Every structure is written in C-alpha cells, then in structure tokens.
Amino acid sequence: MNDFKSLMFLDRCRFIFKLLGIEYDVMRRILQLKLTMDQRRVPTILKANSAKKKEGNQFLKSLGIYVLYGIIIIPFIFIGDNYMLQMSLIFGVIMFFLMTSMIADFSSVLLDVRDKNILGTKPVSKKTISAAKMVHISIYMTFLTGALVAIPFIVMVVSKGIIFSLLFVAVLILNVLFIIALTALIYIFTLQFFSGERLKDIINYVQILLSVGIFVGYQLLGRSFEIIDVAVTYTFSWWHIFIPPIWFGAPFELLLHQNKTTELLLLSIAAVLIPIISIVVYYGLMPSFERNLEKLLADSGKSKKKTPWFNDYLARFVSINREERIFFELSAVMMKKEREFKLKVYPSLGFALIFPFIFLFNNLNTGTSLAEIGTGKMYLTIYFSSIMIPMTVHMLKFSENYKGSWLFRAAPIADLGVMHRGAVKAFLVKLYLPIFIVLSTVFIWIFSARILPDLLAVLLAGILHTLISYKFLNGDSLPFTQSFEFAQNMNTGVSILLTLIAGVFAVVHLLALNFSYGVVVYLVVLLIATIVSWMKIFPNARIL
C-alpha cells in the first residue's frame, strides 16, 4: 500500500493520539487502507462524467474544480473595508461548498458500518476505530478546504496583509470543525430517534435544503447590512445569532477594526466556543453513535401499504385506461422514492417555490407597501415557477433502477405512449400542481381574486411548457430507462431556450393585460395550443 504524505504529516502528531489513549500504529494502518480504497471512489462533483473510464486518484482530480470554485470568493475580498460584510459573505460561500461536499461525499465515511463488522471482531479498541473515522474525514476536508481557499488566501496575503490572513486561517479551522461536528450531530440525533432508512431520506433532504437554503441565506445575509451613502453599516438583530457565517465574520471586525461592541463580542465568542463545544459533544456521543449505526444494517423494509383512496381516485381521474393508470402510479412512486431523482430535481422545485417571493420581497425592501403591490401586476412573477420545468422533465428519463427497464419492452403493451402520458401526468399532478397551488393561494391573498383568470392562464402555460420541453428533451426515450450517469448529457442551448419559454409566456401575458378581454383571448389561445400539442405529441390521447 502507498504511504500517503498526509499520514507522514500525521506521524508528527503521534504523541497527541497516544495521550488520548488511541493506538496510533493501528489507527495509521486503518487509515492507510481506507485512503488506498478511496482512490477508486468517484466524488459527486465528478459523477457527471463517471461513464468514462477513470484512472488515478479521483478525489485529487476533483480538487481542481474546487480551486475554480474558490475564484468566486475573490470579489468579496474587495467589497470596501467592512470586514463583517466581507467575511460573512466569504464564510457563507465556504460553508455552502464544504457542507454540501461533506454530506454528498463523506456521509458514506461517517456512516460506514464495515468498521463494526470487520474491525469490531478484532482486538482493536472502539476509541481507535472512532478516531480513525474522524481523522479520515478531517484529512479529506483539509484537502478540500485548502483547494477551495488556496487562490483567495494568496489574494488576501497580498491585499489585506499577513495578520488578516493568519486570522482567516484560524477562523477557517473553527469553521471546518463546526461543519464536521454539525453534520455528525445531525446524524447522531437522527439515528437516535429514527430508522436507518429514515436517515438515508434525511440525508437526501438535507442535501436538497442546502441547495435551496443558499438563496434564502444570502437574502437574510444581505439584509443584515444597510448601505448608507455607499458606506456599508452593520446593525445587530437577535436572529443573527442563528446565522453561522455572521459568527465567523465578527472576529475580523472585533480584532482588526477594534469594534468592541457587545454584539460583536457575543458573535465572536459563538465563533470560537460553538465549534469547540460541538466537537466535544460529538466525541462524547460517539459510542452511542456507533451503537446506533446497527440500525443501518437492520432490514428496514415495511409491509406494503395500501394506496390511499385519494391517490387511487386521482390516478383513475387523470388516466384514460388501466395501462395509463399503472404508469401514472409507477411514475408517481419513482418520483417520490428515488433518492437520486429527488436530489437532482427537488432543489429546482424549491427554487420555483421561492423565486416569485424573492422578487416580491425585494419590492417590499424598496419601501413599497404590500397593499400597493397588491394593486399592480407583480403576480406575473409566478411565471418564475416554470423555470424548473425543462430540467425536471428531462430527468424523467433517468432512474437508479434503469436496468429493470427491459420489463417495459417485454410487457404486452400495444401503445408505448401510455408510458409517456403517465409520466407527464404524474409530473404535472405530483410536482408542478402542488407548487402552483401554494403560490396561487398566497398570490390570491396578496392580489385578491381578480387574478384568478390570470392564474388559470399561467396553469395552461405551464402545461404547454411541459409538453414542449418533453418533446424536445425526451423525444421517444421511455421514462426511467436510462442511468443518471448520462443526466448531464443535455443540450445546453436547447435547455436555455426552453427555460426562456417561461419568459415568453410572461411577456405575452403582460401584453394581453393592455387590452380589454386580452386575458380571455390569451386563455383561449393557450387552451387550443395545449390540446393540439397534446394530441400531436401523444397520438390517440386525451388530456384527462
């Protein structure tokens, strides 16, 4: 096996592990084996091309991409001299990339049950096994963090000086410790109360929430600062204590600008103590965590539940015949159960849900009241919810269980179009319609019932948008019959054009509002176009 440089560096800290009662030589051998095996693992960030032959250490190759991501941080270094703003934004970006990678790539390390099965039967102490797991993750997080901040750090040294840069390194170490501990504690408490299968679902949802949360987080982060005569000022609010990037920005303002307010002192203490406390708590709960990992080995399969009467009625209502109903139900189950599908699709659903409100919120921030907004045409921002349609429709082709798609060809199905119709209807009913209903309910509350015809037009435009996207992106490819390895093989130009269709519908809708009965005419045109498109794309079919 290779003798990795990271392990050679670790040898210098041998005495620390021995003081903690850890068998260093045994831990080192475990790490050496783990690092050797990890050379074959393809990181999530490279999985778009995983169909190609991979040689060499894939993790080290992925670091080049993180170096490029680090360039995003550089502009924030030059945002004036307000360190709270600069460093809060910088640590916000860093935390997003590191937490996403931690959950996407290192959950399998943290939740590895092979240690218990293989090493647990050997004369190796549990403390040594746990330490090996922790150091294993820390080695990778160190490499990943180093790649992400390498270029920004050089820029900091040149532009801000050595003291600023050294403080950044110190705070960054606390930041990484907090991320590792926070992720581990989420898993610990989840396993304490839920099954292993539920934990897998929660990991999936956390990945999704992280993707969506960055948009909401930056909205809150941006509103923590006020621009007065081009100067940026920071005003503390109680809820800032729940935004970690602000913690890690506070020490720079406190120490370098000597801004010794009580609020900044409180946030700086949080930046130091919370990561340390988190690690201590994680270390203390580690034995319980290792015991609860047995839940991941248990058979979590449950007896098949009867389909709820509402879902059964819905399937019968939207389907033409029994075959189409079967594929509608199959598609609905696939979209609900497949974790890879949810990971790729649900973030865009979250964006579709929050984008219209972000634009409304920005309008409120300019001083316009909600009552004034309610008399205008800002409800057309609901068209932003349609930007997720092309990508989601494209994903209907893929499945983790694509190898079982031969059953579709073997089954005595006279019309393969029932598969396409079932999948499209499942998308519209299970994914698009719930988002549309939520947005419509809030918009009716803001703009009153006068916009009901407009909302109906938006719904028809969404259905037509779905049909156009399905025709150009999926064609004759049967739903759920391809591997997610090829999900990135999407014509970027066509995808952008299909996304812009939502903007075209919004502009036409806006023009229609300038004429008497313009919305009614727009509705009729959309209805005819939708029916004709459905018949052309799915011959011998009706919408319901």
Side-chain angles (χ1 to χ4, degrees), residues 422-473:
V424 170
K425 289 180 179 179
F427 159 72
L428 290 171
V429 173
K430 294 293 186 176
L431 298 183
Y432 178 74
L433 196 57
I435 291 175
F436 178 79
I437 291 173
V438 171
L439 291 173
S440 297
T441 301
V442 178
F443 274 48
I444 289 173
W445 174 69
I446 296 173
F447 297 96
S448 77
R450 69 183 177 88
I451 67 169
L452 283 173
D454 299 276
L455 293 177
L456 183 57
V458 173
L459 177 60
L460 288 174
I463 295 173
L464 182 57
H465 194 179
T466 300
L467 296 175
I468 296 171
S469 300
Y470 194 88
K471 176 63 178 178
F472 282 95
L473 293 175

Side-chain angles (χ1 to χ4, degrees), residues 209-396:
L209 288 174
L210 278 174
S211 300
V212 176
I214 189 64
F215 285 91
V216 178
Y218 271 111
Q219 288 294 317
L220 294 175
L221 194 58
R223 282 162 178 74
S224 301
F225 301 89
E226 185 179 359
I227 300 178
I228 302 176
D229 296 330
V230 191
V232 181
T233 61
Y234 171 73
T235 304
F236 177 81
S237 297
W238 63 268
W239 49 270
H240 292 177
I241 198 66
F242 299 106
I243 305 181
I246 292 182
W247 306 346
F248 298 108
F252 293 85
E253 189 73 16
L254 177 70
L255 299 176
L256 300 181
H257 277 171
Q258 296 295 305
N259 189 350
K260 298 179 181 179
T261 62
T262 304
E263 293 83 1
L264 284 175
L265 183 61
L266 178 65
L267 292 170
S268 299
I269 291 173
V272 176
L273 288 186
I274 293 180
I276 295 173
I277 292 172
S278 300
I279 286 292
V280 171
V281 172
Y282 167 55
Y283 185 78
L285 293 175
M286 194 174 287
S288 173
F289 179 46
E290 294 294 334
R291 287 195 301 271
N292 284 325
L293 280 178
E294 293 178 1
K295 292 183 178 181
L296 295 176
L297 297 172
D299 183 10
S300 58
K302 298 179 181 179
S303 57
K304 183 179 179 181
K305 293 182 179 180
K306 186 178 179 180
T307 304
W309 67 269
F310 177 76
N311 288 345
D312 185 63
Y313 174 78
L314 192 61
R316 293 176 184 275
F317 178 74
V318 302
S319 304
I320 299 173
N321 50 43
R322 183 173 177 273
E323 287 182 343
E324 186 177 302
R325 184 170 71 251
I326 290 172
F327 283 104
F328 173 88
E329 294 174 342
L330 173 65
S331 300
V333 169
M334 297 289 279
M335 290 187 289
K336 180 181 179 181
K337 297 293 185 182
E338 287 217 340
R339 293 189 179 92
E340 188 73 14
F341 179 87
K342 290 191 291 186
L343 181 59
K344 293 183 180 296
V345 169
Y346 280 24
S348 64
L349 300 183
F351 299 151
L353 194 59
I354 65 174
F355 271 165
F357 296 125
I358 285 178
F359 286 101
L360 289 178
F361 195 55
N362 287 336
N363 225 31
L364 283 171
N365 203 44
T366 61
T368 307
S369 68
L370 192 62
E372 291 174 323
I373 292 175
T375 61
K377 301 176 182 178
M378 283 294 292
Y379 56 83
L380 291 181
T381 58
I382 196 173
Y383 276 104
F384 281 101
S385 65
S386 297
I387 61 176
M388 59 86 175
I389 287 177
M391 193 278 287
T392 307
V393 166
H394 175 64
M395 289 297 162
L396 292 177

Side-chain angles (χ1 to χ4, degrees), residues 136-167:
H136 185 196
I137 296 173
S138 300
I139 288 173
Y140 279 118
M141 289 296 286
T142 300
F143 277 110
L144 195 152
T145 306
L148 186 64
V149 304
I151 297 178
F153 180 75
I154 294 173
V155 175
M156 283 182 191
V157 172
V158 174
S159 63
K160 299 292 186 181
I162 191 66
I163 296 177
F164 182 98
S165 304
L166 291 176
L167 179 59

